[in-house]
Structures are given as C-alpha cells and as structure tokens.
Amino acid sequence: MDTKTLMDTKTLMEWSAKYHTPNYGRTPICLVRGDGVRVWDTDGREYLDFGSGIAVTSLGHSHARVTGAIQEAAATLLHVSNIYHTVPQIHLAKLLCEHSFADRVFFSNSGAEANEAAIKIARKYGKERLATDRYEIIATHNSFHGRTLATVSATGQPKYHHGFEPMVPGFKHVPYNDLRAMERAMDSHTAAILVEPIQGEGGVHVPDDDYLPGLRKLCDASGALLMVDEIQTGMGRTGRLWAHEHTGVVPDVMTLAKALANGVPIGATLVREEVGSVLTPGTHGSTFGGTPFVTSVALATLTTMLDERIPERAARMGRLLMERLAAMAKARPVITTVRGRGLLIGIELTTPAAPVVDACREGGLLVLSAGDKVLRLAPPLIVDEKDCERALGVIDGALAAAGA
Ligand SMILES: *Cc1c(COP(=O)(O)O)cnc(C)c1O
C-alpha cells in the first residue's frame, strides 16, 4: 500500500464507512496535519479550527512546548503502572493542587472516567461520612457527563440513554439553573450534586450568577458534595483557569480532561482532603491513569497556560468575539442569542445548526454544534484577532448561504 492510496480521500471515506462502527455522525473530510489554529485535510485544504477537537487542543496544534514534552517523555519512560511512583505524575498533582481548591488528585484517561471516579467517591463518601443510605447524585437536565454506563446515567439527556436501559440507579435530574428545583429534589438520600459550571454539549448555557453559590449553600446545609464537571470549561477555556472561579464558589470535587494534556488522553478528579480520604488503598484504580508520558504532557500544557497567561487571553478574545457576534445578531435575525464565557461561545439560531456548520466548513472554518440549533465556537485559546475576524467573516457568509 503506497502513500498515494493511503491519502486518497474517496477510498478513505469508503473504508471508513465500511470498517468503523457507525456511531459517529462524521463530517466527510479526513484531517492529516495541524499547526496552531489551522488544520489540513487529505486534499490539501486548509481550515481554521474553531472547535479544537471539542475544546481539547487549547494551545493549538503542534505547540512547540507540548510537542517537545511528548518527544522527551516518549524517549524517557512511557508507562510503569501506578504500583510505582513517577516524577511527572507527582509534579502534576502538586501543580494542580497549588492552582485550585483541591488537596488531592486521582488520574484517569478520559472525562467519563474522571466523572466515574467522582461518582464513586460521592457514593463512598455519602455512605461512610454522612449516612448509610446517602448514595444519590443529583444532576441536571441537558447536562453531559460522559458515555460510560454510570456517566451516561448521570447525563440528563434521554437521547443518550435510548437502547442502553436500564440506566444505573441512584441518579436524579432537575432543570439547570433552577435552585428551587434542586432544593426540592434534595433529600435524606442525596450524596452529591454534579453540575457543569456552563453546560457545554447541552447548548452553551450559562447559569445565573447566583446559581453555583446557591448550590454551595444547599450542599453546606445538607452535607452533600458539590461536584463541578469542568471537563469542557476548565483549563482557561472561559477566561479563568477554572470556570467556577468566576463565582467565588469552592467546590468539593472537580473533574478535568479535555484540554488538560492538549490532546493526549487524560482525566483527573480533584478533591478536598476529607473527600479524597475515602479512596483508601485498593478502592479504585486505573492501569493507564496518569502515566509518566501523559502527565509530562499535561505538565507542559498547564505550565505553558500559567506562564503565558492563556486564561486572560481567552477572556480578551472571547470579549472581542462576543461583541462582534452581538452586532452580527442585530443584522441577522436568524441569530436569537449569543452566549458564553471566554472562548466557549454558543450562537443560538432559529434554524438547524447543521447546514451552517457545513457552510462554514466549505468556507474553510471548522465549528461545532451543541444541540440542534446552537453553533458552538471553541477555538484554541491562542487564537489571535486576525483569525477571529476571518472566522466571523466565514460565519456571516455561512448564515447568508444557509438562507438565513
Ligand atoms: C466531553 C465531556 C465529558 C466526557 O469526556 P470524554 O473524554 O469524552 O469521556 C464529560 N463532561 C463534559 C462536561 C464534557 O464536555
């Protein structure tokens, strides 16, 4: 098989349709290379990447410090098992604790696994520290917490449950941004509340300023844990290192994944001391969680974000995009609302988002949708003004082309 065959887009699309399980609704392009905010496909077409692999490559593609860390770690020590200590894992746990509310960290390989650990911690904490029948976790409608059986059960979107029932018991769902509903749902079985500080997949929903503080108060009154899923909102995405920092609220548990190692798979569950202490030796684990390889890459990613004040940059570029999009909304009635924080932005339309996503791609811009009618922008946090202007031009043209 020569390289030419390998790069033939049509053949690759046929093989993809033939050999993959058909669970992804994939876009018909095949990407081969990335640099900064740009990616290229098998036909040599260039795209501005305003999706970042769903809020993952926050430092952009092929970032020198990340690539350097990958090369060095690959040539040093890939994997040894968590029955041994490794230097980068210790340094990463320490750095995460020094830059968050947390005292301890558990490493895994994905967002779902980070939430799975949080769920297990909540159940064990509830039973051991609160009361034997406190196991229930309350999450919100429209949330997204992952695809494993427990995390999909936590996810408040029935479309992700269909066909996989029965769901794991012990989860309840209430409307997002509704403190009264949460208060009514909490009872003598509640072990924890699990929420996204901003709902990402659910449509980029930003709650009222008093929502997280209100949840904190409810948890303080009941003893239940406040667990924030920052898998999409964390690592500077919203203009602060962690999105909950906008509210001043201190959670008990925080989960991370997507941008933590800029594209190398990792998950992390961060906890306060007394919460983490329930994970006594032998109670939880992961073969690959926090290998010296991935933790080296995450260390390079987090250090770069802190050194280069990437969250502040995300806040600045986010303001620019939001202002320009608000002006676009005035001129184009197809846009009903523009919302978000930092560089996690949702543009709600009166029409389906899919044709607009396609038209943007035709115009050389990759964007995401979130739900049926919301365009989601999550560019790398290193994006500059010029690329933002270019993207805005493509979006405006795509809305026009989609008959909007
Ligand atoms: C993506 C995401 C997850 C799931 O992460 P995976 O790595 O796909 O398992 C969980 N929660 C939120 C908020 C996410 O955005």
Side-chain angles (χ1 to χ4, degrees), residues 148-172:
T148 62
L149 209 44
T151 58
V152 88
S153 302
T155 294
Q157 300 192 57
K159 68 176 179 190
Y160 293 125
H161 300 168
H162 287 153
F164 301 115
E165 298 90 347
M167 290 292 107
V168 172
F171 294 94
K172 236 197 267 193

Side-chain angles (χ1 to χ4, degrees), residues 202-225:
V204 192
H205 293 287
V206 185
D208 297 337
D209 290 343
D210 66 353
Y211 185 55
L212 278 190
L215 294 181
R216 179 70 272 174
K217 279 201 197 99
L218 291 175
C219 286
D220 288 344
S222 100
L225 300 176

